[in-house]
Amino acid sequence: MKIYLSGEIHTDWRDEIIAGARDLDLSFTAPVTDHAASDDCGVAILGAEDQKFWHDHKGAKLNAIRTRTAIEAADVVVVRFGEKYRQWNAAFDAGYAAALGKALIVMHGEEHSHALKEVDAAALAVCETPQQVVQILTYVLQGTLPE
Amino acid sequence: MKIYLSGEIHTDWRDEIIAGARDLDLSFTAPVTDHAASDDCGVAILGAEDQKFWHDHKGAKLNAIRTRTAIEAADVVVVRFGEKYRQWNAAFDAGYAAALGKALIVMHGEEHSHALKEVDAAALAVCETPQQVVQILTYVLQGTLPE
Amino acid sequence: MKIYLSGEIHTDWRDEIIAGARDLDLSFTAPVTDHAASDDCGVAILGAEDQKFWHDHKGAKLNAIRTRTAIEAADVVVVRFGEKYRQWNAAFDAGYAAALGKALIVMHGEEHSHALKEVDAAALAVCETPQQVVQILTYVLQGTLPE
Amino acid sequence: MKIYLSGEIHTDWRDEIIAGARDLDLSFTAPVTDHAASDDCGVAILGAEDQKFWHDHKGAKLNAIRTRTAIEAADVVVVRFGEKYRQWNAAFDAGYAAALGKALIVMHGEEHSHALKEVDAAALAVCETPQQVVQILTYVLQGTLPE
Amino acid sequence: MKIYLSGEIHTDWRDEIIAGARDLDLSFTAPVTDHAASDDCGVAILGAEDQKFWHDHKGAKLNAIRTRTAIEAADVVVVRFGEKYRQWNAAFDAGYAAALGKALIVMHGEEHSHALKEVDAAALAVCETPQQVVQILTYVLQGTLPE
Amino acid sequence: MKIYLSGEIHTDWRDEIIAGARDLDLSFTAPVTDHAASDDCGVAILGAEDQKFWHDHKGAKLNAIRTRTAIEAADVVVVRFGEKYRQWNAAFDAGYAAALGKALIVMHGEEHSHALKEVDAAALAVCETPQQVVQILTYVLQGTLPE
Amino acid sequence: MKIYLSGEIHTDWRDEIIAGARDLDLSFTAPVTDHAASDDCGVAILGAEDQKFWHDHKGAKLNAIRTRTAIEAADVVVVRFGEKYRQWNAAFDAGYAAALGKALIVMHGEEHSHALKEVDAAALAVCETPQQVVQILTYVLQGTLPE
Amino acid sequence: MKIYLSGEIHTDWRDEIIAGARDLDLSFTAPVTDHAASDDCGVAILGAEDQKFWHDHKGAKLNAIRTRTAIEAADVVVVRFGEKYRQWNAAFDAGYAAALGKALIVMHGEEHSHALKEVDAAALAVCETPQQVVQILTYVLQGTLPE
């Protein structure tokens, strides 16, 4: 089963999930989480831009080669909304995954529940911690519950 | 041609577009823009909930009957990001529309360009004002440019 | 907007919905609700069968010409589970509609909630009465809530 | 070839099929068949609920991560209807599989033939025993008939 | 409801169905049934060919503009196999319609049942006469059986 | 039936087809054929660009709102390759239409046959003149050949 | 690359292709070619039938589990029309494969060219011998032509 | 990740990309790049033609067995436009890939930017050299930028 880990890139939640699920038959994909590389990849490879908009645009499109391909290949898409930033790309990925009929798991703190109600409404699970994602994946694969 | 107008519901941008495009052969759809009705529709029709999460959940799903049906029927999806709120539902709609291959027009102020770069990367036009949307739709239908 | 009314055929719930929604811009479709005609259509048109299985089989396939075409054309599928009979065809229609990504509304009494939890999990609304369906459709089309 | 075994979870029919088909190049998937785990997985992982409806809802959605992914990956879906319970989830799975164009095999006792006629009409085979499913799979893969 | 009438072009079965169904809300499409025009359309419009194969090829492709478009637009595809000729195009249309998930009605005499068993296996109704097709369409639209 | 007329914009071939087919039940769509408007639409509406690449890019994307929507809505796509320019957009449209399964008609002079062989291989008709397109459409709709 | 070999089952053309292509990275699938088993599989496994029609029907549906699954999984579908029998199932498979967008290779003697023109029109290659199919597959995989 | 390398066949750009990306987990496919074989494959295998058009046609269709299958299987399609020839097949492949939602990378010299603006508008990256393609693929797989 293929899991795409979308969203917040400033904490190590992906590592926690991957470590916690190490004994399961899963493969994980994710966006590039090196923030500087992700922002500058477009101009670093395709040439500098004077305008910030096109600087960003070239980078966002290069990143889309990775992210769209990975979401389309995934069975389950996990999207985490963190404390900071607007994270519109996380919500965009959730919508993209929902339209493709992917099984969607959304992670966020309770304080964002109202603002994320449309995203949560498209999810098969809404949780708060990486441990819960590991428990979900364990249950989905093995049918066993946490003790 | 069918246009879905997604996103910010606190200004009258939809009315400006619809008025400006009144002479074009277009039909417009949109989410329910009565904020109170949109928040409470679930419990008003399907019964009260003690937990705010389920209160929101029932409402978000009722709204999805309208929004997903309308996005799927649309030829063009316009998504506006305003000044306030997190507007994750707008970004979700943009992702949903992108995955379905809809022509996407994104509206937002320049200050959000960096945060919205992934959304903009999936769009066929990025603009700031309702007038520009009217000009785009006029050009797309009639081939004429603003004077 | 096109609404398919699936499921229980022994009460007049379809008439209640259609009457209640008479002022909305909706078109309704449904299976043949004449029980005898529905059971015997296959042999009446295509020739008698000695075996009850093939008698039923021919009829079920003729009915499928109507029901599958109507579900595929629908925007919203309403499925009602009544008090009697096993109603596997209602659950089958719900699964068929869910796989096609149709907006699904499920109607049933509270006593069936546990047995129908997988069906309800695929629905955008779960309710009990035709009046609630009318209220949902009114809200979805007009954005107004019941007083 | 991938086979999904849906439906009744109170007898060991899945084990009989898997044992009988052990020499064929097949992989089998199935829902979680531990009834208690299946009922409580939602609250065990995602937190307790006061309302039974939401208790069930969270569980049904977690189970859907497994079941929908497996049905979509399957080449053949076998659905068994047993003697007890309403088994609406089995009929829902059959409808879901039919809409996706999966090859559908339905198992049930003759006494349910009339009630299941719409489900049977969508199937490529209707049978009663696990041995027959093994014989079907043997024939489909190897072209040999039972002696 | 849109009905495509495929297959045999040497008897007036299409006229019988269209006349019999004149009071139903149906639209009918069909291939070009002028045999000479159908055979020669390619070279008449696109230029003569020395080789019979390319003469036929150009014509068959022009006809495909009409037939594939019509099958894809149809809700129901009726395919008639007559007494004469090999009628591989009829069977081709049946396969094409089946793969697109169209409701398929097959008409043929009993003497062809064994040879057409794979085609019949994909159909929702197998019948022999235009009157039966009219009865099927009447039942599907109005729910009434022949007296 | 909906016909999209793609490709060369420097002669009046579209007008010839539309005039010749005026008595047929057809609707025609096409790209914007005002060359200057087509080139400058992006910057005229969305703001000037220093770089020619982005000037073109904005325009090409605005035009794509019209062209992709029209190709997706079309039943038949006619692509004309003229004497001048590289016309890569015409070949792009042909590939786009082919991948969507549209009926494709290609028009070009004999001198381009070798260079266009891959495009022609995806077409249901290859011709040279607008009159031939009119004859094809007349035959497809009415079954009559030119005298 | 996956190749499905459909059609005539009375000569050893499949063996010739498989032997000739033994050094290529290909996998081959085919219908059950044991004529007696293919005809009787339905009743042998699912129970006897008094009516020949249902005897055939049960068998044809069991065979469809194999054939439809294999066609859907194939990259290339080769369909051979032999000298004898009506072979409507071969033409049905060709139509099924064409509608799914599979690369289609048709094999038949020149004497059937006119009757098969609609099938040939959907093919990417029309040939007469197993050797030609081997040469096509060799060219497609390795880019080398026969000496 | 699967990469299809489409377009110009007269320089060794494919070899440069494959060599540069040798340490990445990628598989590459491409059209037959032996120009003579590609032109003559149809008649060499399927028999000679008097008319150049049919000579080309048979070859183009054989090549399509390889190219369409490979594009459909690819995650990323790279299309290179060289200095010479009209290269309509390259633009056709780009349109085909775009309609299928493939991640598209376009390579061409700056002098073709205006003529290729519609193709570039559908791409996620526009570049000039094989080294840039290698850098893109390295970034997409490993998240690292060129030093």
Side-chain angles (χ1 to χ4, degrees), chain B residues 34-55:
Chain B
D34 175 339
H35 198 154
S38 172
D39 269 8
D40 295 334
C41 61
V43 296
I45 296 173
L46 302 173
E49 291 292 332
D50 292 337
Q51 303 293 323
K52 185 67 167 71
F53 182 84
W54 298 118
H55 177 114

Side-chain angles (χ1 to χ4, degrees), chain H:
Chain H
M1 198 176 252
K2 291 174 187 168
I3 317 292
Y4 183 73
L5 302 172
S6 169
E8 186 251 306
I9 63 170
H10 301 283
T11 66
D12 64 353
W13 66 277
R14 286 183 183 80
D15 296 335
E16 288 185 60
I17 290 174
I18 293 169
R22 84 181 72 81
D23 296 333
L24 301 174
D25 184 17
L26 295 170
S27 65
F28 292 95
T29 53
V32 171
T33 56
D34 176 338
H35 198 154
S38 172
D39 269 7
D40 295 333
C41 61
V43 296
I45 297 173
L46 302 173
E49 291 291 333
D50 292 336
Q51 303 294 322
K52 185 68 167 68
F53 182 85
W54 298 118
H55 177 115
D56 283 346
H57 196 69
K58 281 168 130 177
K61 283 193 164 172
L62 274 202
N63 283 308
I65 298 176
R66 177 175 173 128
T67 57
R68 289 189 206 162
T69 304
I71 292 176
E72 279 157 27
D75 299 298
V76 177
V77 173
V78 181
V79 184
R80 174 169 162 86
F81 293 86
E83 304 309 302
K84 298 193 298 184
Y85 305 105
R86 291 188 176 254
Q87 306 174 90
W88 283 319
N89 60 326
F92 180 87
D93 282 359
Y96 200 91
L100 296 177
K102 303 296 174 182
L104 184 64
I105 299 173
V106 181
M107 295 176 69
H108 60 78
E110 196 181 349
E111 69 278 17
H112 291 318
S113 286
H114 185 65
L116 282 167
K117 64 184 189 294
E118 289 85 3
V119 178
D120 290 352
L124 289 177
V126 179
C127 64
E128 297 195 33
T129 68
Q131 286 71 20
Q132 286 175 306
V133 174
V134 172
Q135 290 171 355
I136 291 169
L137 295 173
T138 304
Y139 174 72
V140 165
L141 261 79
Q142 302 189 331
T144 54
L145 295 179
E147 298 173 22

Side-chain angles (χ1 to χ4, degrees), chain F residues 73-124:
Chain F
D75 299 298
V76 177
V77 173
V78 181
V79 184
R80 175 171 161 85
F81 293 85
E83 304 309 301
K84 298 192 297 184
Y85 305 106
R86 290 186 176 255
Q87 307 174 92
W88 283 319
N89 59 327
F92 180 87
D93 282 358
Y96 200 92
L100 297 177
K102 303 295 174 184
L104 184 64
I105 298 173
V106 181
M107 295 174 69
H108 59 78
E110 197 182 349
E111 70 277 17
H112 291 319
S113 286
H114 185 65
L116 283 166
K117 65 184 189 293
E118 288 86 1
V119 178
D120 290 351
L124 289 178

Side-chain angles (χ1 to χ4, degrees), chain E residues 2-144:
Chain E
K2 291 175 188 167
I3 317 293
Y4 182 73
L5 302 172
S6 170
E8 186 250 306
I9 64 170
H10 300 283
T11 65
D12 63 352
W13 66 277
R14 286 182 182 83
D15 296 334
E16 289 185 59
I17 290 173
I18 294 170
R22 84 181 71 80
D23 295 333
L24 301 174
D25 184 18
L26 294 170
S27 66
F28 292 94
T29 52
V32 171
T33 56
D34 175 339
H35 199 155
S38 173
D39 269 7
D40 295 334
C41 61
V43 296
I45 297 173
L46 302 173
E49 291 291 334
D50 292 337
Q51 303 294 321
K52 185 67 167 71
F53 182 85
W54 298 118
H55 177 113
D56 284 345
H57 196 69
K58 282 168 129 178
K61 283 193 165 173
L62 274 202
N63 282 310
I65 298 177
R66 177 175 174 128
T67 57
R68 290 190 205 160
T69 304
I71 292 175
E72 280 156 26
D75 299 298
V76 177
V77 174
V78 181
V79 185
R80 175 169 162 86
F81 293 85
E83 303 310 301
K84 298 193 297 182
Y85 304 106
R86 291 187 175 256
Q87 307 174 89
W88 283 319
N89 59 326
F92 181 87
D93 282 359
Y96 200 91
L100 296 177
K102 303 295 174 183
L104 184 65
I105 299 172
V106 181
M107 293 175 71
H108 59 79
E110 196 181 350
E111 70 277 18
H112 292 318
S113 286
H114 185 66
L116 282 167
K117 64 185 189 293
E118 289 86 1
V119 178
D120 290 351
L124 289 178
V126 179
C127 64
E128 298 195 32
T129 68
Q131 285 71 19
Q132 286 175 307
V133 174
V134 172
Q135 290 172 354
I136 291 169
L137 295 173
T138 302
Y139 174 73
V140 165
L141 262 79
Q142 303 188 332
T144 53

Side-chain angles (χ1 to χ4, degrees), chain F residues 45-58:
Chain F
I45 296 173
L46 302 173
E49 290 292 332
D50 292 337
Q51 303 293 323
K52 185 69 167 71
F53 182 84
W54 299 117
H55 177 114
D56 283 345
H57 196 69
K58 282 167 129 176

